[in-house]
Amino acid sequence: MTFERDAKTLELPWPFTGREDELELVRRSVAGGRHGIVVTGPAGRGKTRLVTEAVRGTDCARVAGTPETRGLPFAAFAHLVPETASLHRAVQLLSGVRLLVVDDAHLLDDASAALVHQLAVHGRTRLLVVATDGARAPGAISRLWTGELLPRLALEPLPREETAQLLATGVGGLEALTVNRLYRLCRGDLRLLRELVDAVREQGLLNQVPDSTEWEWRGPVPVTATVRERTAHLLDRAGPGERETLDRLAFGEPLPVDAGTLDLDALERLEADGLVHVDEQGTARLAHPLHAPVLRAAAGRLKTLRLARTPADCAAALESETAELARAIGETDVRAVSAPVGEWLLNEGTGVPARHAAVRARFARLRGELREAAAWAREGLRAAADDPDCGLELALAAAQSGHPDLAAPPAGSMAPESVGSRDRSSDSRFAGPLQLPAAVVDSSTPQLTATPTGSSGAANSREVAGGSAVTWWAAARGDLDAALGTVGENPYDAVRLGAPERAVGRLTGVFAEHAEALAHDDGPALDRAARALEERGFLLFAAEAYAQAVRSHRDPSAARTSRTRAVALARRCQGARTPALAGLVLGELTARQRQIVTLAAAGLSNRQIAEKLTLSVRTVGNHLYSAYARLGASDRDALPCLVELPEAQPA
């Protein structure tokens, strides 16, 4: 047992992932004639790791504050200055240090803090100072940025897409809904993220997704000692009367304030203490998502029986959520909508009804969240293996994604001749792992639309949606002629595939604006359409419109701006690989990254690339990790979908 504990403490850190802009900013702050920077943020946000990566390979001195030595003068500098040194003498001794890294500066003793401040005033030593938000820092440290001696970088939470990349490089393939759950629970605390992932793995809570290389987490949150420590100081502030209100929320959140189930006086006090959040709709929930599992774990059996809810208790609320999502889709406005009941059912592992899962999948797909769409569709297929709508959503998510693990076959199949107007049953380009459900071509029952069309009749038929799946699967195989040949009652598909003449006059609203702008090869108009699509939550459609604008702009500067926006949106679309985005993302890589990515996509190993380019294997690996983050790829297998490899030349 001792060996196992020691082995755990020696686990290697996850590869540094994301934060490329912040990393470059920190590096620039200690280059040239600049004097340094202060990096601040809550505990666990990755401040120390960022600074460590920024100074990797450079000659620097390091000091750190600790709670135990705050009363000892110059304790943090004990290895750099003599015990009897005065402040003046300490400044002289350190004036020759080119770069000084000060970690946990909020914990420095007053003498050490004054020394850091004087070094900043003199400006001979470049300083990288790390301090934690919310902790009481010595005045000499806070005046580094309030007195404008050094610029301050307030570190924001790692974005969801970069968190997914971090998990991919540090853990392996986690499916999108598990990534979402971890992201929501940790709220940017990367140390807590590591703790939860380790606990989930150790307790055997990860299960492999059928027909996939990904892993999913359903069921309870492991309430480890670290999780309790992170929440105890907040929950201990609640009095006995307030604790009952907290427990009710822990087992049933979100709860309406006016339902008569909550003590309003206690709720008001809890809100003032920052333990409860009440939204504009008058719904109360706990302020931090980890509070609920901690409270539930501490509840006795009788309290759990009294307060716990069942899936049957949630039926009406789930139906309301489903209707709200469907309404948003019908109004062509897919900006984020809160739907906690469906997520609760998912996380509890009790099963999600296929109807709700299909709507969630479609909502996510229209937002460009393709991995999430596929995951919701699979949840629905678990509840009803032959559900045609979930099968269709899985097919559409797979067809518009470059990730082969999404292409697990839905139930049923469709005859090859129904792929297009001509028989392609012998065409190898249409052979592959995905077969569309037979029910996809059954138009007898109105179902969810596949893409917004502005036509209320045809847009609601399963035949329309099935036709869209056929179109995008042909496009995914590189046969645009076949894809355009299958565009029928989905005219917006033609716009996305670059044939707007087939859609002009058949669309409404922002989709019509997109078609008109593309038909007239009008770059500024395409930018305007892209902004309107983005405002409504259609991130993938917006990325495609910006990408099309790149080719339409006459002004190189405007084209670069459109490219940057297209890439930024495409990175949020969870691996979307559509014809409009083809070859676009590589433009955001450095020349060396493009070179390495192209070789990796061609099948060369890291060692082969290193030998070819005269680099170290570690350098090649670091470049690939950085490229993965920018490209939104999870691993090397996704690279061939991103890179236009040169065609083989005849001998």
Side-chain angles (χ1 to χ4, degrees):
M1 291 301 293
T2 302
F3 174 79
E4 290 181 2
R5 284 198 299 270
D6 290 343
K8 183 177 179 181
T9 62
L10 296 176
E11 284 184 353
L12 294 175
W14 289 349
F16 182 80
T17 304
R19 302 279 194 207
E20 293 197 4
D21 293 338
E22 294 93 335
L23 186 62
E24 183 61 25
L25 176 62
V26 174
R27 284 173 173 165
R28 287 201 309 266
S29 71
V30 293
R34 295 176 180 166
H35 301 306
I37 194 170
V38 180
V39 181
T40 66
R45 188 152 290 181
K47 306 180 295 296
T48 300
R49 185 68 186 277
L50 172 67
V51 168
T52 300
E53 290 297 322
V55 301
R56 187 179 297 279
T58 64
D59 184 18
C60 64
R62 296 173 181 267
V63 300
T66 61
E68 295 78 12
T69 58
R70 296 189 74 166
L72 302 177
F74 296 125
F77 289 87
H79 59 300
L80 297 176
V81 300
E83 182 179 356
T84 57
S86 65
L87 177 60
H88 176 72
R89 178 58 179 158
V91 171
Q92 287 183 322
L93 289 172
L94 293 175
S95 62
V97 174
R98 183 170 177 270
L99 176 61
L100 176 66
V101 177
V102 184
D103 199 6
D104 287 332
H106 57 288
L107 297 176
L108 289 176
D109 60 272
D110 289 339
S112 295
L115 175 55
V116 172
H117 188 272
Q118 287 302 309
L119 291 173
V121 170
H122 285 264
R124 298 190 188 96
T125 301
R126 294 169 185 153
L127 297 170
L128 277 181
V129 181
V130 177
T132 296
D133 286 343
R136 185 175 180 180
I141 294 299
S142 60
R143 281 194 293 273
L144 291 175
W145 62 87
T146 60
E148 299 185 356
L149 288 171
L150 294 176
R152 177 189 182 192
L153 170 61
L155 208 57
E156 297 293 328
L158 197 67
R160 189 266 178 206
E161 54 269 21
E162 292 187 3
T163 301
Q165 182 64 25
L166 175 64
L167 289 168
T169 56
V171 183
L174 297 179
E175 53 95 46
L177 300 181
T178 296
V179 172
N180 288 351
R181 188 181 186 188
L182 289 166
Y183 180 70
R184 285 194 299 268
L185 286 171
C186 296
R187 290 193 169 182
D189 189 331
L190 301 183
R191 285 186 295 185
L192 184 57
L193 180 70
R194 177 73 180 255
E195 170 78 12
L196 275 179
V197 169
D198 287 346
V200 166
R201 295 170 74 179
E202 289 170 6
Q203 295 184 24
L205 299 177
L206 283 177
N207 296 302
Q208 190 164 12
V209 178
D211 302 314
S212 171
T213 60
E214 295 184 331
W215 296 79
E216 65 182 11
W217 167 35
R218 305 289 185 265
V221 175
V223 181
T224 64
T226 300
V227 170
R228 286 193 179 93
E229 289 170 7
R230 295 296 175 90
T231 58
H233 68 288
L234 294 172
L235 298 179
D236 287 346
R237 300 206 304 261
E242 296 161 353
R243 187 59 180 261
E244 173 67 18
T245 299
L246 288 175
D247 286 334
R248 285 187 178 278
L249 287 170
F251 282 95
E253 67 175 345
L255 291 174
V257 172
D258 58 1
T261 58
L262 298 173
D263 182 334
L264 296 185
D265 290 336
L267 192 65
E268 186 174 339
R269 292 192 296 272
L270 291 168
E271 184 184 25
D273 287 340
L275 293 177
V276 168
H277 172 71
V278 180
D279 60 25
E280 295 178 356
Q281 289 72 42
T283 302
R285 66 175 68 238
L286 296 172
H288 196 289
L290 277 178
H291 289 174
V294 170
L295 286 166
R296 290 198 298 265
R301 183 171 297 178
L302 291 178
K303 179 178 286 188
T304 299
L305 290 173
R306 176 169 61 89
L307 297 178
R309 60 180 174 179
T310 66
D313 298 330
C314 302
L318 184 67
E319 185 63 28
S320 177
E321 279 187 4
T322 306
E324 176 65 16
L325 290 165
R327 182 198 59 78
I329 293 170
E331 294 179 356
T332 61
D333 187 342
V334 292
R335 282 171 284 196
V337 173
S338 177
V341 177
E343 289 164 4
W344 178 80
L345 290 171
L346 177 82
N347 295 336
E348 290 295 306
T350 59
V352 179
R355 180 171 177 272
H356 180 79
V359 176
R360 289 296 291 262
R362 182 167 180 247
F363 190 85
R365 177 175 55 79
L366 291 175
R367 287 176 53 81
E369 298 163 344
L370 298 185
R371 285 184 171 272
E372 191 169 329
W376 277 110
R378 284 199 177 99
E379 285 296 322
L381 291 172
R382 288 179 181 176
D386 59 349
D387 184 80
D389 297 321
C390 289
L392 172 62
E393 290 301 330
L394 182 59
L396 282 163
Q400 296 180 50
S401 170
H403 299 280
D405 54 318
L406 294 184
S413 62
M414 188 168 65
E417 57 269 18
S418 62
V419 168
S421 58
R422 60 187 176 91
D423 184 3
R424 295 186 175 87
S425 58
S426 61
D427 191 337
S428 62
R429 290 173 296 182
F430 288 86
L434 181 71
Q435 299 292 326
L436 299 177
V440 160
V441 294
D442 175 12
S443 60
S444 59
T445 306
Q447 296 292 338
L448 302 170
T449 62
T451 53
T453 66
S455 172
S456 60
N460 289 326
S461 72
R462 188 180 292 135
E463 183 178 11
V464 175
S468 189
V470 174
T471 297
W472 285 103
W473 199 243
R477 295 165 187 262
D479 194 339
L480 288 183
D481 290 338
L484 289 170
T486 63
V487 173
E489 297 299 329
N490 288 288
Y492 193 60
D493 285 347
V495 179
R496 297 176 63 196
L497 293 171
E501 65 280 357
R502 302 190 181 201
V504 172
R506 302 176 60 194
L507 295 167
T508 60
V510 65
F511 309 109
E513 294 172 16
H514 185 183
E516 290 285 349
L518 186 59
H520 291 92
D521 200 21
D522 187 335
L526 280 167
D527 283 342
R528 290 193 295 272
R531 283 194 293 272
L533 286 164
E534 183 181 358
E535 288 171 1
R536 287 177 168 267
F538 296 102
L539 302 188
L540 176 54
F541 300 165
E544 291 172 332
Y546 276 128
Q548 291 166 339
V550 173
R551 307 177 183 99
S552 298
H553 277 300
R554 309 297 182 264
D555 179 3
S557 176
R560 285 193 296 272
T561 300
S562 295
R563 175 186 290 275
T564 299
R565 291 172 176 167
V567 171
L569 288 173
R571 289 176 63 191
R572 296 168 61 186
C573 291
Q574 302 180 2
R577 302 291 176 257
T578 64
L581 301 179
L584 176 71
V585 288
L586 291 184
E588 289 297 300
L589 301 182
T590 65
R592 177 65 83 184
Q593 286 173 342
R594 285 197 298 271
Q595 190 178 28
I596 291 174
V597 164
T598 302
L599 293 172
L604 274 67
S605 67
N606 285 15
R607 185 168 297 281
Q608 290 171 323
I609 297 172
E611 293 172 353
K612 186 177 183 67
L613 301 180
T614 319
L615 299 170
S616 71
V617 176
R618 181 184 179 88
T619 298
V620 170
N622 288 339
H623 277 302
L624 279 175
Y625 278 129
S626 297
Y628 291 158
R630 284 194 174 273
L631 299 175
S634 58
D635 53 36
R636 184 184 298 258
D637 292 339
L639 295 180
C641 302
L642 302 170
V643 182
E644 295 178 353
L645 296 175
E647 295 183 3
Q649 300 296 321

